[in-house]
Amino acid sequence: MPSPPVTAVLIIGIVWVVYRLSKVGSREPGLPPGPPTLPLLGNLHVFETRGIHLKLTEWARMYGDIYSIKFGPQSSIVISSPKLLREYVDLKGAMTSDRPPVYVDELISNSMELPLMRYDEKWRIMRKAAHDMVSREACNKHLPIQRAEATQLLSDLLDSPEHFYTHIYRYTASVVTSVVYGIHCPKYHDCFVDKFDRFTQRLEAAMRPGNSPPVDMFPWLKYTPEFLAPWKRKCMEMRKQQREIFFGMLDLVQDRMKEGQGNDCFMEYVIEHQKHYNLDREFLGYLGGSLLQAGIDTTAIFLQSMLACIITHPHVQKRAQEEIDRVIGSERAPGFPDWDNLPYVRALVSEVNRFCPVAPLAVPHAATADLKLGEYLVPKDSIIFLNTWGIYRHPDYYENPDVFEPERYLKNEFGIKSGADTTGCRNDFHFGAGRRRCPGINLANNSIALNTMNLLWAFNFNKAKDPLTGKPIEINLNVDVNREAVLLVQKPFKCEITPRNTAKIEVIRADFERAKEVFEPFEKQIITLSDAFV
Ligand code: HEM
């Protein structure tokens, strides 16, 4: 039997531990209000890992444009208006540009992937090089290859319209491999593209909440022995495969340069200026790899969503096509200079981005220091969610926010309703905010503009028909989505794609013949990957 003083100490100790545990999950004083919490769990018990943007937006309408949530001990804030995004993220960039730690990424890439890097010296080195690589001027230099790739997309769609998914993916993959590594991918199958597509799906699954224990919330889980943690083994396999891709691509560029066969791609530029950017081989490998990883799926998802939007809104498709026909006609395909003369097509693109933002919660930021945001105090290391979905569906800013209506962008450049506060308004929230804003914006926007013009110029897009009933197969925009994915991916849908007239078919065939000359310097190497990818 312990003595009375020992018993007293034990009781005080137990009370203290219970008290501390009961505080886990509750809000620190000063945090903005939010949904009620439970001890230990915070808001985890009502949190969905699928379609998180919908839950965060539902709460935004209840608790306001800034509110807080707790994932166990982890504090997070959610920002859901243009004004607060500007004030709290854009203008406080030095304190809001960290990323929350992602242990799975630490295992896979040793935290060397730019989008998930912490806000430190490593990030600064990488970001500067990435910024210069895909700056507006640098991208303009690469318009001919981007255009040639877009011409191949039209030609592929003429040949086998039923494979539009893989044609689009080939396009977005080949644009990045061409401009970053100087290597054209002529087809989806039996080439780099399908293997990279599969690798990305495996990577996305490995990162998905629920497929590994919540290590980032409870860091002691890191020490689970490997024999009890198959997810750790999976991460090590992914690491091997990822390095094979990233460093294999880098080697190809260096081999080409040694042979004097350069083609002016982005990677050649940074290799030549390696010292200036302070990049060693490890950085170079992950720099190119980060652009591959961040640039391919995102652009493909936009194009898929754009097609889903015009198929479900035929009057929008018709109006955009009438404008294109008026400005361009049938004798030539659209080009970049046409973009400025197509206000309705530009409005359509803005509306697709508003209605189906590719990354509805961007990539979460984190606070590098304690933050004073208006009347609130947000502790260092809190996660900051940029609720792009909630902003783009905000009823104070957008008239009928749940209706797809490109015309709103003809009334004013932000598409907002009259009388709304314009502070912080822009029409590119889908590229994020502050210092972590997407650096690939120019490359992405060039792809979006060129392909939207091209596709509408060349083809009619209609709902596919059910072979049994003959009835159109409906597409439920943003409802039939892959809810497990972090990006807003429409579930695979079918559609009928038919060329609009024979003159256009001839233009596409002739343009594709000419594009082969542009591809030539980009076809000196074939990307090989080991059997691990099959
Ligand atoms: C439609 C196409 C795209 C969309 C919607 C998109 C969207 C985004 C978003 C939302 C972020 C996070 C921003 C933030 O944290 O505030 C991001 C980051 C990033 N994006 Fe994009 N992106 C697209 C295309 C591209 C392309 C083509 C590239 C390059 C080839 C690229 C490279 C990156 C990189 C490297 C980052 C990480 C930046 C950092 O953390 O500092 N993206 N993108």
Side-chain angles (χ1 to χ4, degrees):
M1 209 34 200
S3 64
V6 173
T7 310
V9 169
L10 275 177
I11 290 173
I12 292 170
I14 290 168
V15 169
W16 184 81
V17 169
V18 170
Y19 172 76
R20 295 291 302 174
L21 281 178
S22 74
K23 289 285 156 198
V24 172
S26 62
R27 282 190 176 76
E28 290 88 343
L31 270 177
T37 57
L38 282 184
L40 290 178
L41 294 176
N43 299 113
L44 271 178
H45 61 300
V46 271
F47 208 73
E48 301 173 17
T49 52
R50 293 144 61 96
I52 302 175
H53 58 283
L54 299 176
K55 187 77 201 166
L56 293 192
T57 300
E58 186 190 316
W59 279 337
R61 302 298 173 249
M62 291 166 76
Y63 300 104
D65 292 343
I66 177 167
Y67 67 92
S68 65
I69 41 177
K70 294 286 294 185
F71 300 120
Q74 173 68 56
S75 300
S76 306
I77 57 163
V78 182
I79 298 179
S80 311
S81 79
K83 185 167 185 266
L84 296 188
L85 199 66
R86 169 118 190 101
E87 266 175 45
Y88 296 161
V89 180
D90 287 342
L91 297 179
K92 289 189 189 294
M95 286 179 289
T96 57
S97 298
D98 202 1
R99 297 278 193 223
V102 180
Y103 184 59
V104 168
D105 177 60
E106 204 178 308
L107 290 181
I108 296 174
S109 80
N110 198 19
S111 307
M112 285 293 284
E113 278 200 74
L114 180 52
L116 298 180
M117 266 184 174
R118 305 301 299 271
Y119 184 61
D120 55 14
E121 194 46 33
K122 248 172 38 176
W123 174 80
R124 270 180 269 280
I125 291 175
M126 198 84 123
R127 173 85 192 194
K128 166 135 190 47
H131 175 269
D132 290 0
M133 274 167 100
V134 280
S135 66
R136 187 183 299 277
E137 301 72 51
C139 286
N140 284 347
K141 255 179 51 186
H142 293 276
L143 290 179
I145 182 70
Q146 210 169 351
R147 185 164 180 176
E149 295 286 4
T151 302
Q152 178 171 345
L153 175 58
L154 294 181
S155 165
D156 289 346
L157 287 172
L158 277 183
D159 293 340
S160 49
E162 67 282 12
H163 297 311
F164 72 98
Y165 262 89
T166 50
H167 295 328
I168 287 177
Y169 198 86
R170 185 220 61 83
Y171 164 80
T172 59
S174 195
V175 163
V176 180
T177 58
S178 294
V179 299
V180 175
Y181 297 103
I183 301 173
H184 168 58
C185 298
K187 50 192 178 141
Y188 176 86
H189 290 291
D190 306 322
C191 179
F192 169 78
V193 186
D194 56 347
K195 292 180 176 180
F196 186 77
D197 191 3
R198 280 201 295 277
F199 171 75
T200 307
Q201 286 170 26
R202 287 199 293 270
L203 185 68
E204 208 258 330
M207 310 276 267
R208 204 177 290 154
N211 285 356
S212 55
V215 191
D216 302 316
M217 243 174 276
F218 305 106
W220 47 267
L221 284 168
K222 282 183 196 173
Y223 305 106
T224 320
E226 274 192 32
F227 71 94
L228 290 176
W231 54 275
K232 280 192 179 176
R233 223 179 16 256
K234 216 168 231 155
C235 288
M236 296 327 284
E237 281 166 29
M238 306 283 318
R239 174 174 173 75
K240 199 164 153 275
Q241 296 187 355
Q242 192 182 53
R243 289 185 70 85
E244 187 182 336
I245 298 175
F246 292 0
F247 289 91
M249 298 295 278
L250 177 63
D251 287 343
L252 285 173
V253 179
Q254 287 181 317
D255 291 349
R256 212 175 49 227
M257 289 169 80
K258 270 188 220 137
E259 287 160 17
Q261 302 259 22
N263 56 19
D264 243 359
C265 68
F266 288 148
M267 217 35 159
E268 288 172 14
Y269 172 81
V270 276
I271 292 171
E272 278 160 9
H273 299 83
Q274 201 172 337
K275 279 215 175 80
H276 165 75
Y277 287 111
N278 199 10
L279 296 165
D280 61 14
R281 179 172 162 82
E282 198 66 8
F283 270 98
L284 283 175
Y286 281 99
L287 172 63
S290 296
L291 300 180
L292 273 182
Q293 212 88 74
I296 297 179
D297 277 43
T298 42
T299 314
I301 291 169
F302 170 87
L303 292 172
Q304 289 156 10
S305 294
M306 193 273 290
L307 292 187
C309 287
I310 58 171
I311 291 164
T312 47
H313 298 85
H315 62 285
V316 170
Q317 181 174 171
K318 191 158 174 275
R319 185 164 172 191
Q321 286 174 330
E322 279 167 6
E323 184 180 74
I324 288 177
D325 291 350
R326 214 169 35 249
V327 173
I328 296 158
S330 291
E331 308 305 313
R332 64 170 181 92
F336 287 104
D338 295 314
W339 187 239
D340 289 343
N341 302 322
L342 299 169
Y344 188 75
V345 179
R346 290 202 308 274
L348 161 62
V349 163
S350 295
E351 183 66 347
V352 174
N353 278 319
R354 187 192 72 83
F355 206 70
C356 313
V358 171
L361 294 174
V363 178
H365 290 216
T368 56
D370 290 346
L371 289 177
K372 173 121 182 55
L373 302 182
E375 61 195 285
Y376 302 120
L377 286 173
V378 175
K380 178 175 181 302
D381 296 330
S382 296
I383 298 177
I384 304 169
F385 285 103
L386 320 184
N387 186 7
T388 309
W389 177 273
I391 293 176
Y392 275 150
R393 298 288 178 124
H394 204 311
D396 290 355
Y397 289 87
Y398 300 94
E399 200 81 58
N400 302 324
D402 297 327
V403 175
F404 182 82
E405 202 175 69
E407 286 73 10
R408 70 179 79 242
Y409 284 97
L410 295 177
K411 292 181 190 146
N412 60 65
E413 64 172 314
F414 307 128
I416 55 172
K417 62 188 192 187
S418 69
D421 181 357
T422 54
T423 319
C425 279
R426 42 190 172 93
N427 54 11
D428 60 2
F429 293 117
H430 47 281
F431 285 115
R435 296 186 184 179
R436 302 299 293 241
R437 192 160 175 258
C438 176
I441 191 166
N442 299 301
L443 194 62
N445 277 339
N446 286 347
S447 272
I448 288 172
L450 187 56
N451 289 288
T452 305
M453 292 188 288
N454 268 356
L455 294 170
L456 284 160
W457 171 83
F459 300 103
N460 288 321
F461 298 89
N462 287 301
K463 289 176 190 162
K465 299 216 176 54
D466 184 321
L468 292 178
T469 62
K471 288 194 180 141
I473 304 173
E474 294 304 324
I475 301 171
N476 290 317
L477 262 184
N478 292 346
V479 176
D480 290 341
V481 291
N482 180 356
R483 285 183 182 262
E484 300 208 319
V486 177
L487 301 178
L488 188 69
V489 192
Q490 312 295 327
K491 278 213 181 121
F493 57 89
K494 292 202 159 99
C495 72
E496 265 180 24
I497 303 177
T498 40
R500 294 187 57 215
N501 65 40
T502 45
K504 290 179 177 181
I505 297 177
E506 279 163 25
V507 172
I508 295 169
R509 299 282 186 219
D511 281 355
F512 187 49
E513 277 311 304
R514 278 193 290 276
K516 289 179 182 163
E517 277 170 38
V518 183
F519 289 136
E520 209 207 274
F522 296 81
E523 286 182 325
K524 303 224 178 301
Q525 291 159 308
I526 297 169
I527 309 166
T528 51
L529 294 170
S530 74
D531 293 344
F533 285 91
V534 176

